Amino acid sequence: MRSLLGLVLLGSILSSTVVVLAQEQSLQVVYPPANYQTSSDKIFFIGTAPPTGQVLINGKQVNRSKSGHFAPSLPLQLGENLFTVSHQNQTVQIKVTRLATQPEVPQGLAFAKDSLTPAADIARLPGELVCFSAIAASNASVSVKLGNQTIPLAPQLQQVQLPSNLAALTGKNQPAQSTIGKYEGCTISFGIGLSDNTKDVDLGKPQFQLTLNGKTITQESPGKITILSPAQPQVVTVTAEAGVARTGPSTDYSRLTPLPKGTKAAVTGREGEWLRLDYGGWINSKETTIISGAIPPRSIIRSVGYRPLSDRTEMVFPLQIPVPISVQQGDRTFTLTLYNTTAQTDIIRLDDNPLISRLDWQQVAPGQIQYTFNLKKDQQWGYKLRYDATSLVLSLRHSPVIPDSKRKPLSGIKILLDPGHGGKESGASGPNGVLEKDVNLVVSKLLRDELVKRGATVVMTREEDKEVSLVERQAIINQQEPTIALSIHYNSLPDSGDAENTKGVGTFWYHPQAHSLAVFIQNYLVEKLERPSYGVFWNNLALTRPAAAPSVLLELGFMSNPWEFEWVTDEKEQKKLAKAIAQGIVEWFKSVE
């Protein structure tokens, strides 16, 4: 994978269908492509050349593997960096431009480009904090006029810049000091002009004023500010099958429990195309529709229904209106929280059950109820949530029947294998142009055969080199409801990583129900194959998010490491790897019986 764990292409790379043996060929640099741009302070060069002779980058010899592959990291200066890669009489010229991570601070009477906030239209309730910021010369005087208020912005001398989430993959995730000339200030939105609290009030775009050396300029903010009516809030319903709720108003913010289609909530804030819902989560307005004339959704709940099925237990929560929800899994607990809901509950029926030992509930706050399912075993096997009209249906899967058979230890177990990437989505590239998508498919087929030998039923998201979207892969897991799901990948690094020295097996999980599987398979492969351990990561990836089954993403080695790449593409080692994964799965099922 590349950067976002295999979901970003490795730039301009050469295609190849050879996945077993690395090719011996002339000088080739597969990464970075020509005229590449990055914000990293260094860059690695992935490539290969015939083993004889030296490979030089800007006149300095680089280390190479037995087959002639290389991946050295070189420092970058801000701006253009020119590199010449040479082997004998061949040369490749590459330009890499390092981009600044902070806006340039103007020296004169001007605001830094795109530094005024709010950068998009925002809406807040009366009494909320509204904040402004700008970047300008350090000795300036900056203020904002909003309505009849003038808000002074103070210089922020101690600024800290957080690294990207990808920094966790390189172990370099410490905050850095920032020296930008940032000015910030806030005010309370008392609802200026809210003489009629049944209507929203448009305060227009804030006017920023900058004074420096006796001269003054004004500049309008990109976004306007609206004060929302507390008496008549807008109400929306979720139209997506699983509305993506987040902790803030952009995709940079963390995901929360998805909101089932039909969920209704009042809007308490807006920022650009994002809506803040009354329970606290944010959702993109494209996944909702406005309900004209609706009042803020509120519901009571009385009894809770119980449906024992052959392979799962369904709990039905009759509500007056579909409300926002969240889920939290523990070792032996499953906690469902309903928002905008008040209990009138006196009776709940729950017979002795193969999965649940007891159901507890409590009204933890006004309009917030928690239902805690105490489970009989540590391992959970998947769940689904949906609204049937106004009733919330929670489906909890029972433990699979694990056969007591040495010859067919996975008989009756359905396993989904997802060979990562495919088609135009090629994933990472090895030094000689071999593509991750092809190695993923070869190893997935070998693993499928090993699992079938052990009695498993195997479902593949693809069996050829074709493009399958992430949404389609998730849908296959939800439809097939396998006992477990494994997504097969190989690894690479962000530009700031050390490609030459980073190697090993890694596993990624998201829902707690997948943690045991991730840790077990990681330890098993490291021990049985005597491979380095890259680590176990909690990560919000598309193929770890499905909740219908324990879902794990495996990164089985680094395409970007010249030495490990030779192991990755060795046919005998691929077969050993497939056997080890299959047997690791067998042993894991034994461990959770």
Side-chain angles (χ1 to χ4, degrees):
M1 66 178 186
R2 174 70 193 157
S3 291
L4 295 178
L5 300 170
L7 306 184
V8 179
L9 294 180
L10 190 60
S12 300
I13 49 182
L14 300 178
S15 64
S16 170
T17 57
V18 179
V19 297
V20 177
L21 297 176
Q23 304 171 29
E24 183 174 316
Q25 53 194 354
S26 59
L27 175 64
Q28 181 181 1
V29 178
V30 300
Y31 189 82
N35 301 316
Y36 181 66
Q37 294 184 338
T38 181
S39 59
S40 174
D41 61 357
K42 62 180 181 178
I43 190 76
F44 50 77
F45 286 73
I46 302 178
T48 192
T52 56
Q54 297 179 345
V55 170
L56 306 176
I57 300 183
N58 286 355
K60 294 184 178 180
Q61 183 179 352
V62 301
N63 294 328
R64 296 205 287 157
S65 69
K66 183 178 179 181
S67 297
H69 310 320
F70 55 86
S73 290
L74 298 173
L76 294 174
Q77 302 297 322
L78 282 173
E80 291 186 359
N81 297 258
L82 300 177
F83 297 94
T84 299
V85 186
S86 60
H87 175 263
Q88 296 178 348
N89 61 347
Q90 290 184 291
T91 61
V92 175
Q93 302 237 329
I94 295 174
K95 182 175 73 174
V96 179
T97 302
R98 178 183 168 190
L99 305 175
T101 57
Q102 301 179 32
E104 184 177 349
V105 179
Q107 297 304 307
L109 189 67
F111 292 106
K113 183 181 179 182
D114 300 328
S115 71
L116 303 186
T117 65
D121 293 348
I122 67 170
R124 297 290 186 266
L125 291 171
E128 283 195 82
L129 206 62
V130 178
C131 293
F132 311 89
S133 68
I135 294 175
S138 59
N139 56 340
S141 174
V142 182
S143 63
V144 169
K145 186 174 182 181
L146 178 66
N148 59 2
Q149 287 187 338
T150 298
I151 303 104
L153 304 190
Q156 305 301 304
L157 302 179
Q158 298 296 323
Q159 290 283 310
V160 172
Q161 186 177 22
L162 294 179
S164 159
N165 273 307
L166 295 177
L169 303 176
T170 61
K172 299 176 181 178
N173 62 340
Q174 294 301 309
Q177 291 295 321
S178 172
T179 58
I180 61 174
K182 193 167 189 178
Y183 294 78
E184 293 182 326
C186 301
T187 187
I188 298 294
S189 59
F190 286 110
I192 307 164
L194 270 179
S195 56
D196 179 2
N197 69 357
T198 64
K199 296 180 180 179
D200 296 346
V201 175
D202 183 356
L203 297 180
K205 295 183 177 182
Q207 301 293 316
F208 284 75
Q209 181 173 290
L210 168 63
T211 301
L212 182 65
N213 298 327
K215 297 181 179 180
T216 299
I217 62 167
T218 60
Q219 187 171 326
E220 195 173 65
S221 166
K224 70 177 183 179
I225 296 176
T226 300
I227 305 300
L228 295 175
S229 163
Q232 292 190 353
Q234 189 180 78
V235 176
V236 297
T237 184
V238 175
T239 53
E241 285 300 321
V244 181
R246 293 186 180 272
T247 57
S250 81
T251 55
D252 290 336
Y253 288 90
S254 302
R255 286 177 178 252
L256 300 171
T257 300
L259 298 177
K261 185 176 183 178
T263 300
K264 294 176 173 58
V267 175
T268 62
R270 293 196 298 268
E271 190 155 335
E273 63 182 8
W274 291 83
L275 307 177
R276 184 181 63 193
L277 304 183
D278 49 22
Y279 84 111
W282 291 77
I283 189 170
N284 193 296
S285 59
K286 294 177 182 177
E287 296 189 342
T288 69
T289 190
I290 298 171
I291 308 174
S292 179
I295 62 172
R298 295 291 184 271
S299 180
I300 61 170
I301 187 167
R302 292 173 179 163
S303 63
V304 176
Y306 164 60
R307 296 176 187 163
L309 304 176
S310 60
D311 63 343
R312 68 198 62 209
T313 293
E314 285 194 343
M315 304 298 298
V316 182
F317 301 84
L319 298 162
Q320 296 170 306
I321 197 165
V323 299
I325 60 170
S326 65
V327 165
Q328 185 176 12
Q329 288 180 313
D331 287 341
R332 283 205 178 192
T333 58
F334 183 99
T335 301
L336 174 67
T337 302
L338 307 182
Y339 298 91
N340 302 333
T341 306
T342 302
Q344 291 184 356
T345 301
D346 283 331
I347 299 175
I348 295 176
R349 177 183 175 179
L350 182 62
D351 300 339
D352 189 26
N353 182 275
L355 176 66
I356 305 165
S357 63
R358 189 178 73 249
L359 170 60
D360 299 326
W361 73 268
Q362 59 178 329
Q363 186 95 36
V364 295
Q368 187 173 332
I369 305 177
Q370 281 188 349
Y371 292 89
T372 300
F373 294 86
N374 299 278
L375 307 176
K376 292 183 176 180
K377 295 182 180 180
D378 292 343
Q379 181 59 46
Q380 298 181 44
W381 295 96
Y383 69 92
K384 289 184 176 180
L385 281 160
R386 70 181 189 275
Y387 273 111
D388 283 348
T390 63
S391 292
L392 179 67
V393 180
L394 167 64
S395 176
L396 295 170
R397 295 180 66 185
H398 295 171
S399 301
V401 177
I402 301 173
D404 184 16
S405 169
K406 291 184 179 180
R407 193 174 69 87
K408 298 285 187 180
L410 296 177
S411 179
I413 301 296
K414 182 192 286 188
I415 297 175
L416 182 137
L417 297 181
D418 170 55
H421 308 290
K424 295 179 182 178
E425 296 290 332
S426 54
S429 173
N432 60 0
V434 169
L435 301 179
E436 180 198 346
K437 65 173 184 176
D438 297 320
V439 187
N440 292 343
L441 186 57
V442 167
V443 172
S444 294
K445 287 182 175 180
L446 291 172
L447 175 56
R448 173 198 60 193
D449 295 344
E450 291 294 333
L451 292 171
V452 169
K453 287 178 186 177
R454 291 162 174 78
T457 299
V458 179
V459 176
M460 302 271 285
T461 58
R462 68 179 181 99
E463 296 196 54
E464 58 186 353
D465 182 20
K466 69 174 183 179
E467 192 167 341
V468 183
S469 73
L470 297 177
V471 172
E472 289 173 315
R473 294 171 199 255
Q474 291 174 322
I476 293 171
I477 294 175
N478 288 327
Q479 292 163 5
Q480 290 289 332
E481 293 189 345
T483 313
I484 60 172
L486 301 177
S487 189
I488 304 300
H489 286 255
Y490 283 84
N491 220 335
S492 189
L493 287 167
D495 290 336
S496 59
D498 184 352
E500 201 172 48
N501 294 303
T502 305
K503 57 186 177 180
V505 175
T507 56
F508 295 78
W509 62 279
Y510 180 61
H511 296 289
Q513 64 191 14
H515 180 253
S516 168
L517 176 60
V519 172
F520 191 97
I521 293 297
Q522 172 76 12
N523 292 341
Y524 192 87
L525 295 181
V526 168
E527 178 183 349
K528 296 299 180 182
L529 297 175
E530 298 182 341
R531 299 303 302 169
S533 175
Y534 179 56
V536 178
F537 297 81
W538 177 90
N539 203 324
N540 180 16
L541 300 170
L543 271 301
T544 60
R545 280 200 298 271
S551 302
V552 168
L553 187 144
L554 300 177
E555 294 284 357
L556 296 170
F558 277 80
M559 301 286 287
S560 53
N561 183 289
W563 293 269
E564 188 161 66
F565 175 73
E566 296 183 10
W567 174 81
V568 164
T569 52
D570 183 278
E571 182 179 6
K572 291 181 180 179
E573 296 299 331
Q574 289 173 341
K575 292 178 179 178
K576 288 181 185 178
L577 174 62
K579 288 181 179 180
I581 298 173
Q583 193 56 36
I585 291 171
V586 170
E587 299 301 327
W588 178 74
F589 273 107
K590 290 179 182 178
S591 74
V592 296
E593 283 186 280

